Amino acid sequence: MIEGVIFDMDGVIMDSEPIHYKVEKAILANFDQPFEFEDHARFVGQTTRDLWKTLCAERNLPQGFEVLALLDNADYMQELEKGDITPIAGLIELLEKLKTQKIPLVVASSAIRENIETVISRFDIGSFFEGSVSGQDVEKTKPNPEIFLKAAKVIDIKPENCLVIEDAKHGVAAAKAAGMFCVALRNLNSGDQDLSQADMIVNNLSEIDLSVVNQLINKEK
């Protein structure tokens, strides 16, 4: 039975992948390197540091990945601060419904903590969550389950009683590796993600109903 819900952020709480892509593309343009959205999509769910570590190795970029990751995070935060960002469709309604049901909630995102805090503050949704876990709080990032296992401890719920809401292949894999039920949100702005490992796939957060999820869990037992 689901007793707690863990929310990914990018692509689930806000439609941030197009912004990430814009920043990455601009940085690579400085090195005369092409970068298509499909190139970005394979990193969705992972940390900015992971992305630049891989790209530096693959493309033999002249700057170290740590420097580029810091530049990426700084440019991304500037985009957030000046941009007109809004919550994903159905998010507020789902948060309110879960609050009514007294379900504890936590954010688990590969983003840096400053990013998470900015989004939560801008959307004024901090009161819904017990806390958050960022990519800076773990040694191994998605698809490793560490971030979701730490999130479960924040709300003091056993992993098997947690529901994860994700939009990316790496995130879904991490949720399943943690032994959690996973609902995948099909977000076209996150690219053509392989969500086949998820227990349920929805096109809008309004489709998530814990009574339906619990029925599915009972059938699997």
Side-chain angles (χ1 to χ4, degrees):
M1 182 175 176
I2 298 302
E3 298 177 2
V5 178
I6 302 172
F7 282 75
D8 175 41
M9 185 178 73
D10 290 324
V12 172
I13 289 178
M14 71 166 287
D15 229 349
S16 50
E17 296 306 336
I19 306 175
H20 281 295
Y21 172 59
K22 176 183 177 181
V23 170
E24 294 154 9
K25 185 179 178 70
I27 292 173
L28 284 165
N30 293 326
F31 304 113
D32 295 321
Q33 292 264 357
F35 194 65
E36 303 301 326
F37 189 76
E38 291 73 19
D39 298 318
H40 163 79
R42 67 189 176 112
F43 297 103
V44 172
Q46 296 187 302
T47 65
T48 301
R49 189 174 182 275
D50 289 335
L51 178 145
W52 287 110
K53 186 175 184 178
T54 300
L55 289 179
C56 282
E58 291 178 348
R59 301 186 178 211
N60 195 29
L61 298 176
Q63 281 187 288
F65 72 89
E66 297 279 12
V67 173
L68 293 176
L70 288 172
L71 175 62
D72 187 323
N73 284 326
D75 289 352
Y76 180 79
M77 291 305 300
Q78 284 187 346
E79 289 292 329
L80 277 190
E81 289 168 4
K82 71 182 182 182
D84 183 22
I85 60 173
T86 57
I88 288 279
L91 173 71
I92 303 303
E93 293 80 1
L94 176 59
L95 293 177
E96 290 175 343
K97 181 166 62 175
L98 294 173
K99 184 176 182 178
T100 299
Q101 297 172 343
K102 293 182 169 49
I103 301 294
L105 314 178
V106 60
V107 175
S109 169
S110 296
I112 60 173
R113 180 157 297 283
E114 182 184 7
N115 184 340
I116 297 172
E117 292 174 350
T118 296
V119 171
I120 289 176
S121 176
R122 284 280 291 275
F123 294 167
D124 194 23
I125 55 176
S127 62
F128 291 104
F129 295 100
E130 302 294 320
S132 63
V133 182
S134 76
Q136 296 166 300
D137 299 322
V138 296
E139 293 184 10
K140 296 181 179 179
T141 56
K142 304 172 187 177
N144 188 282
E146 182 183 358
I147 193 167
F148 290 136
L149 294 174
K150 283 198 170 186
K153 289 182 179 180
V154 170
I155 52 177
D156 195 25
I157 302 293
K158 293 180 180 179
E160 61 267 29
N161 294 327
C162 288
L163 163 66
V164 173
I165 304 176
E166 262 287 352
D167 71 310
K169 174 184 177 180
H170 296 302
V172 172
K176 296 313 299 175
M180 299 176 180
F181 192 93
C182 182
V183 173
L185 173 65
R186 192 177 297 284
N187 186 336
L188 297 181
N189 284 331
S190 297
D192 186 18
Q193 296 288 314
D194 178 3
L195 304 175
S196 57
Q197 274 190 276
D199 298 287
M200 178 189 296
I201 299 175
V202 298
N203 295 308
N204 190 289
L205 293 177
S206 63
E207 299 174 40
I208 299 176
D209 186 326
L210 287 194
S211 63
V212 174
V213 170
N214 285 323
Q215 287 175 12
L216 288 174
I217 292 174
N218 290 332
K219 285 182 180 179
E220 292 176 357
K221 290 182 178 179

